[in-house]
Amino acid sequence: MTTIHDDPEDFADDQFAGWTALYADRVRGVHGGVVALPTAAAEPQVAVVVGGGSGHYPAFCGIVGPGFATGAVVGNVFTSPSTAQVYSVAKAADQGRGVVLTFGNYAGDVMNFGIAAERLNAEGIPTRVVIVTDDVASAEEPARRRGIAGDFSVFKAMGAAAAAGASLDDVERVGNAANAATRTIGVAFSGCTMPGAAEPLFSVPEGHLGLGLGIHGEPGIEDVPLLPARELASLLVDRLLAERPAGATRVAPILNGLGDTKYEELFLLWGRVLPLLTEAGLEVVEPEVGELVTSLDMGGCSLTLQWLDDELERYWRADAYTPAYRKVAAPVAALVPADAVEDAAAEAMEVPDATTASRQAADTARDALVAVEALLREHEEELGRIDAVAGDGDHGRGMVKGASAARRAVDRLDREAGVAFVIGRAGDAWAEFAGGTSGVLWGAALEAFGRSLRDDRETYRAADVVDAAQAFADSIVHLGRASRGDKTLLDALLPFVDALRAGVEGGQDTATAWRAAAAIAVTEAAATAELRPKIGRARPLAEKSVGTPDAGATSMGMILTRVGEVLATRADRLEGTHA
């Protein structure tokens, strides 16, 4: 259990502040993460920026340093960092030779790092993306697999290539080659517990282990009887040898502990794994045994094999010197002492002109944000419990962080701000601080809702609200690449939009149509219990998900209902002025 904290909600930020202070002689803190301090007489190199959620230490910040990552983006526990965080770290890490963003294959990371890459490229900073897909248990198709402990092997190859002076094209090529050559399988003996939670995200039946775990608190794909060390070693090795490339004779193994498995146990298991690899005719090159990619206090381990050619072997053996990992065949250049560096204060944002109607609509939006934040705090634990059935259990906490950040951002705005500006800033803050898939989706959708309403209208009709709701939904469809029936929040949202439009076209006022449509959203959210997820983190655990509604659809129904209640209380100020 994660027991040392003040406010569990601040756990990720607080632990990161302590870590950054500890290693201030090696890294520099920037908004969203850290970058490595330069070494004496170092030549500019391609920046390799790694990242993901907290809870996986040494990944990701622990591997920032010479020969490895140039920077690391750090999100909330098991949650993708935001686009703004990725952009900030990449800008700070860039040395003029381009940036490679690299991370595990999770929907939130793919979206946030991808959007950041688009923004960096648009600003003239050449940026590439390398996604790690090493988990053989999560999908048959390699491109759809999760990234777990193989992150370390792939990141190491790119970091070494960049340190050797490789071009941006070559660092990207090496990363993709390393990913194609890397495979991982893991087992869980016990679930991990989120800071402040009383129970673990999942449990393993007595006398069993979970085969094919994820590193975000996801349970295994199947439960199998607990095995003696020799049989466990055979299970892990056999699964990986089944994907051995033709002609492969050299391998770089990692036997990784997930947080609660003792080093002594890992050493014992390695003693059983090594003979199996050599009996298979493999040359084992500089194996690593220890905690390299963890999952808070999860009991379990994983075995990673990277099949080596001459180039990958050279990069695997190359020097590295980071807070959590050191491989030094020759002395590393002295680090340049850090100057006191503070992030620049955010530039004041100019509030555009707004009509009276727009400012009155903004007041309604402010009331709705306050009500939604209170609602999500009330149901945080329930949403986390639903999400933990086939996911990482962070949905409730992520939604609270997003709504709270949105409310705080809006509270700081001038009361002259119009509805489009207010909702847009709420969306920015939601995406910035919630992180994860739902964070980027809600942030972008709120911005789309605000843009649709605009601040220059003299009056707002019910049809304008319908158009804004449609823009909200279209944004999520575009970013999430999901459809109705995929067991996502769209299963509640899309029926809501259709019902809202039908109600307004039938002559209902905004508040009446909204509340009726929200009731349909709640019903459709409950019906997702019978669906199997087709995309996202829950997809590999589709069978476990059946019988439990989707957490995103559930929260969507709750929020739409609460907003409808706010609209009803302000109905006298809606009609004729702003719908």
Side-chain angles (χ1 to χ4, degrees):
M1 180 177 294
T2 308
T3 56
I4 300 177
H5 50 71
D6 291 319
D7 185 343
E9 187 173 319
D10 296 331
F11 176 84
D13 293 337
D14 290 347
Q15 64 84 22
F16 186 59
W19 182 87
T20 306
L22 178 63
Y23 293 108
D25 61 331
R26 307 182 200 182
V27 298
R28 174 169 65 90
V30 299
H31 174 63
V34 293
V35 295
L37 294 176
T39 55
E43 294 292 327
Q45 66 176 56
V46 172
V48 176
V49 175
V50 305
S54 300
H56 304 302
Y57 193 81
F60 298 92
C61 57
I63 56 174
V64 172
F68 221 134
T70 320
V73 196
V74 182
N76 196 19
V77 177
F78 298 165
T79 303
S80 168
S82 69
T83 298
Q85 290 174 309
V86 178
Y87 171 82
S88 169
V89 175
K91 285 273 286 187
D94 177 42
Q95 299 176 19
R97 297 194 59 193
V99 177
V100 176
L101 302 177
T102 181
F103 48 90
N105 188 25
Y106 297 90
D109 292 304
V110 171
M111 281 189 278
N112 281 303
F113 280 84
I115 294 171
E118 292 175 2
R119 183 175 175 186
L120 290 162
N121 279 310
E123 293 185 10
I125 300 175
T127 303
R128 310 289 172 79
V129 170
V130 173
I131 304 175
V132 183
T133 57
D134 61 302
D135 179 13
V136 301
S138 58
E140 289 293 329
E141 300 174 47
R144 299 182 67 182
R145 291 172 173 172
R146 302 178 291 203
I148 51 176
D151 285 357
F152 186 94
S153 304
V154 178
F155 298 168
K156 174 68 169 63
M158 285 187 285
S167 68
L168 180 61
D169 286 342
D170 277 340
V171 174
E172 179 189 29
R173 176 187 58 78
V174 167
N176 287 324
N179 180 59
T182 302
R183 300 289 187 272
T184 302
I185 182 73
V187 295
F189 310 128
S190 61
C192 60
T193 306
M194 295 286 282
E199 300 293 336
L201 292 176
F202 71 92
S203 59
V204 179
E206 183 73 18
H208 288 70
L209 56 82
L211 177 64
L213 63 106
I215 59 169
H216 295 92
E218 306 99 325
I221 303 300
E222 61 176 306
D223 296 325
V224 301
L226 195 61
L227 301 171
R230 292 184 188 279
E231 295 180 29
L232 176 57
S234 295
L235 172 66
L236 298 175
V237 172
D238 290 348
R239 285 292 185 108
L240 298 184
L241 290 183
E243 300 201 14
R244 178 179 182 176
T249 59
R250 289 170 289 170
V251 68
I254 295 174
L255 183 58
N256 175 62
L258 285 157
D260 195 42
T261 300
K262 300 296 294 181
Y263 270 69
E264 289 87 343
E265 295 177 275
L266 296 174
F267 298 152
L268 188 156
L269 184 58
W270 175 248
R272 305 292 185 263
V273 168
L274 178 58
L276 297 177
L277 297 175
T278 56
E279 288 167 13
L282 292 169
E283 177 187 353
V284 175
V285 178
E286 297 188 2
E288 296 287 346
V289 177
E291 293 185 346
L292 296 175
V293 181
T294 62
S295 184
L296 285 179
D297 60 339
M298 183 187 289
C301 62
S302 62
L303 179 64
T304 298
L305 298 181
Q306 185 176 83
W307 310 101
L308 301 175
D309 57 19
D310 290 345
E311 182 178 48
L312 289 179
E313 181 173 348
R314 182 169 70 254
Y315 293 142
W316 178 249
R317 291 181 181 274
D319 288 355
Y321 191 86
T322 77
Y325 180 79
R326 301 174 190 177
K327 180 179 280 190
V328 182
V332 173
L335 291 169
V336 176
D339 295 328
V341 180
E342 296 183 359
D343 288 340
E347 294 183 6
M349 192 172 296
E350 183 178 351
V351 177
D353 293 336
T355 63
T356 299
S358 179
R359 292 196 296 272
Q360 290 178 351
D363 288 341
T364 301
R366 294 173 192 271
D367 288 352
L369 281 171
V370 171
V372 166
E373 180 189 8
L375 168 80
L376 291 172
R377 287 191 180 279
E378 178 184 352
H379 293 280
E380 176 182 353
E381 184 175 345
E382 175 190 355
L383 293 171
R385 176 184 55 77
I386 293 172
D387 189 38
V389 171
D392 54 18
D394 73 337
H395 184 70
R397 179 158 298 175
M399 292 294 284
V400 168
K401 288 180 74 70
S404 298
R407 192 265 308 156
R408 290 194 302 269
V410 168
D411 283 349
R412 291 193 292 268
L413 294 178
D414 191 291
R415 302 298 293 193
E416 294 300 305
V419 63
F421 188 79
V422 164
I423 295 178
R425 299 295 73 72
D428 284 344
W430 194 304
E432 168 77 13
F433 290 95
T437 305
S438 65
V440 66
L441 292 176
W442 269 92
L446 285 169
E447 289 187 69
F449 191 98
R451 282 196 303 271
S452 178
L453 289 177
R454 306 202 321 263
D455 283 329
D456 60 353
R457 298 180 190 269
E458 295 298 335
T459 184
Y460 289 84
R461 301 172 298 112
D464 298 326
V465 178
V466 173
D467 290 343
Q470 186 67 62
F472 183 100
D474 289 346
S475 175
I476 292 178
V477 170
H478 172 72
L479 276 177
R481 295 178 173 83
S483 305
R484 188 171 177 181
D486 287 346
K487 197 165 187 174
T488 70
L489 57 80
L490 291 176
D491 292 309
L493 177 59
L494 295 181
F496 166 82
V497 175
D498 291 343
L500 179 65
R501 185 178 299 279
V504 169
E505 291 177 350
Q508 293 178 345
D509 59 71
T510 303
T512 301
W514 187 290
R515 295 184 74 183
I520 291 173
V522 170
T523 299
E524 294 295 329
T528 62
E530 303 309 313
L531 299 178
R532 288 171 171 77
K534 298 178 183 177
I535 65 171
R537 192 174 292 168
R539 180 181 51 78
L541 302 171
E543 293 305 319
K544 289 180 179 286
S545 172
V546 175
T548 302
D550 178 67
T554 301
S555 63
M556 177 63 71
M558 291 178 176
I559 290 170
L560 293 172
T561 300
R562 183 58 59 90
V563 172
E565 294 169 359
V566 173
L567 294 178
T569 64
R570 298 180 63 92
D572 60 321
R573 301 181 62 181
L574 289 171
E575 301 308 322
T577 303
H578 54 279

